[in-house]
Amino acid sequence: MSIIDDELLIPDHMKFTELPVDNSGNNFNSVSQEQVECSLLPINPPDQSLNFMVRLINTYPPSILMAIIINSMNNGLNILFKHAVFKTFSEDYELSNEMVEDLTYSIEAAWYLWILFGIIIDGSSRYIDKRSYYMFAGFMQFVSMTLISIWLPDNYVIATIFLGVGNISGAFADVCVSAFIVEHGRLDLENGSSDLISLCWLSYGIGSTIGSMFLLFASEKIAIPRNVFTFGAIMGIL
């Protein structure tokens, strides 16, 4: 048996349309050569590019989808927040570049506690719902980003604490979203968490694009760099 004759090796959308024949082996109706050639063309499958969006809407709760979208966009906006941190420390506090880099690393250290946050959330999930953790993290980000955007502390250490709390809240919310993806991915046994992960990367890309586009505007038009943290406060309350 040749490979072509083996139907198991031919995809469904590549199978050919056969013409009906009578007992003598002749076609019921006479057909032209053009009709025969057209009947042998493979049938192309429909476009599957946006099917995962339809599956998401029909399978998962809207609140979970919104949490994933907002959190991923918030992570994508980090490029804008990092620029605001650098400008705040270098212009408002007039610190050296080396000092600003050290403070930036200390602020971002919260993301190294990602595993610890996961252990805390998983260990206490029997008593505290993950959504409560997510809402608390968003509220803390809102409070810390609002304070730093409307009030500049006299000591840069206090400003570092505010920004650090904002990063801790973001990391904690990211752990909650990862738990949402694992739990709700079981609702679709065929595609699993792949659709939710695709949504994460899509939202992250949108957030990164917006942050990059707004970065130039913020550098030239916003006189007070820390006002950019208002966007972080808005993302937190959302």
Side-chain angles (χ1 to χ4, degrees):
M1 180 186 298
S2 64
I3 295 179
I4 297 179
D5 293 332
D6 189 359
E7 294 184 357
L8 297 177
L9 299 180
I10 302 177
D12 292 338
H13 66 276
M14 293 295 292
K15 291 182 179 180
F16 299 135
T17 303
E18 299 179 356
L19 296 176
V21 296
D22 56 16
N23 294 331
S24 61
N26 298 321
N27 295 333
F28 283 113
N29 301 312
S30 60
V31 294
S32 63
Q33 183 65 25
E34 291 78 6
Q35 290 175 317
V36 174
E37 293 177 355
C38 291
S39 67
L40 295 178
L41 292 177
I43 303 174
N44 295 324
D47 184 18
Q48 305 289 331
S49 57
L50 294 179
N51 272 6
F52 87 98
M53 294 296 295
V54 177
R55 289 195 300 268
L56 287 174
I57 296 174
N58 294 333
T59 304
Y60 302 104
S63 59
I64 297 299
L65 297 180
M66 288 301 301
I68 293 175
I69 292 173
I70 293 174
N71 181 75
S72 300
M73 291 185 66
N74 184 54
N75 292 338
L77 288 171
N78 274 340
I79 184 174
L80 182 61
F81 299 148
K82 289 180 180 180
H83 174 77
V85 169
F86 178 82
K87 286 292 186 180
T88 299
F89 284 131
S90 61
E91 296 182 2
D92 294 337
Y93 292 106
E94 299 180 351
L95 300 177
S96 62
N97 291 338
E98 291 78 9
M99 189 66 177
V100 172
E101 290 181 0
D102 293 339
L103 292 175
T104 302
Y105 289 143
S106 63
I107 292 172
E108 296 178 352
W111 290 95
Y112 295 102
L113 303 176
W114 205 86
I115 297 179
L116 177 61
F117 295 155
I119 295 175
I120 294 174
I121 293 176
D122 186 66
S124 60
S125 60
R126 181 179 301 179
Y127 311 101
I128 303 176
D129 186 65
K130 295 180 178 64
R131 298 187 184 186
S132 300
Y133 278 126
Y134 182 79
M135 294 175 62
F136 176 76
F139 177 75
M140 291 303 298
Q141 178 175 331
F142 168 74
V143 171
S144 60
M145 293 292 104
T146 300
L147 288 176
I148 195 63
S149 62
I150 64 177
W151 172 61
L152 183 66
D154 296 332
N155 193 333
Y156 67 87
V157 176
I158 299 178
T160 304
I161 293 175
F162 285 160
L163 295 172
V165 170
N167 267 271
I168 291 175
S169 302
F172 210 83
D174 198 64
V175 174
C176 293
V177 168
S178 299
F180 294 157
I181 292 175
V182 173
E183 290 182 352
H184 290 80
R186 302 168 185 170
L187 297 178
D188 188 352
L189 298 179
E190 181 179 355
N191 298 285
S193 302
S194 59
D195 287 344
L196 296 176
I197 295 174
S198 298
L199 180 65
C200 282
W201 282 109
L202 177 62
S203 304
Y204 181 86
I206 294 174
S208 300
T209 303
I210 295 175
S212 301
M213 293 175 62
F214 192 76
L215 183 59
L216 180 61
F217 172 81
S219 302
E220 298 181 353
K221 302 298 182 180
I222 297 182
I224 304 177
R226 69 176 186 276
N227 286 344
V228 173
F229 296 124
T230 305
F231 292 97
I234 294 174
M235 297 300 293
I237 200 64
L238 288 178

